[in-house]
Amino acid sequence: MSTPITVQYTTNAPAEKVWKALTDKNEMKSWYFDIQDFVLETGKEFNFYEPGGENKYHHHALILEVIPNEKLKHTWSYPDFSALKTIVTWELLPEGGQTVVKLTHEDIENFKELGEGFSRENFTEGWNTILGQSLKEYLEK
């Protein structure tokens, strides 16, 4: 049994505002990725590349679960490198006027054969930057 990566930060914003940042493709590109084909609906797929225009890493995802203002769960994979998938779950936990944003990335071991760029450490660092800096700064500005 593998241990998921869990990253959690408290933001000074209500859950509805966090949810909009997480699920509105126009807001996403300000702090996350530019995901042109994102549609917030279970069973929908979306694709994106890392920022910078190199388009080295094609990210593919399938939305598994949507609970508005509470939870977004989707697969996370790199079809150019592997047929294996991982699961990313975003959970929003309101606390007073603030929201705890908790991200869980499961089955990260599926990428261990792909090299250092796909390491647990790389993903942990990436998610900490995305949640702890990009999203937090975007929501609190």
Side-chain angles (χ1 to χ4, degrees):
M1 188 70 197
S2 65
T3 306
I5 294 170
T6 303
V7 174
Q8 176 172 309
Y9 285 91
T10 301
T11 62
N12 203 10
E16 296 76 20
K17 184 176 179 183
V18 179
W19 182 255
K20 190 167 180 349
L22 199 62
T23 59
D24 180 315
K25 62 184 174 187
N26 293 319
E27 289 203 27
M28 276 189 237
K29 64 183 169 195
S30 297
W31 67 273
Y32 190 42
F33 294 101
D34 187 2
I35 307 175
Q36 295 293 319
D37 61 350
F38 183 86
V39 176
L40 183 62
E41 194 177 302
T42 304
K44 293 288 187 188
E45 298 179 50
F46 61 93
N47 300 273
F48 60 96
Y49 290 91
E50 74 283 2
E54 278 188 54
N55 292 357
K56 218 164 111 179
Y57 299 104
H58 171 208
H59 300 68
H60 177 266
L62 170 71
I63 298 178
L64 302 172
E65 185 179 4
V66 176
I67 303 172
N69 300 317
E70 288 179 34
K71 184 192 228 179
L72 174 62
K73 184 175 188 175
H74 58 79
T75 62
W76 180 282
S77 63
Y78 299 94
D80 298 346
F81 296 94
S82 171
L84 298 175
K85 294 176 170 52
T86 61
I87 306 280
V88 172
T89 305
W90 300 81
E91 294 174 277
L92 307 185
L93 313 161
E95 260 185 21
Q98 299 181 314
T99 305
V100 176
V101 181
K102 179 181 175 187
L103 179 132
T104 307
H105 196 160
E106 300 170 77
D107 304 321
I108 203 70
E109 292 73 23
N110 287 348
F111 295 156
K112 73 175 184 281
E113 307 298 321
L114 302 182
E116 201 177 302
F118 299 90
S119 70
R120 179 182 190 86
E121 293 71 29
N122 258 26
F123 277 101
T124 302
E125 186 182 322
W127 289 125
N128 272 294
T129 301
I130 287 168
L131 268 74
Q133 291 174 17
S134 302
L135 177 62
K136 194 168 169 58
E137 287 171 15
Y138 177 74
L139 290 167
E140 295 179 357
K141 70 176 186 228

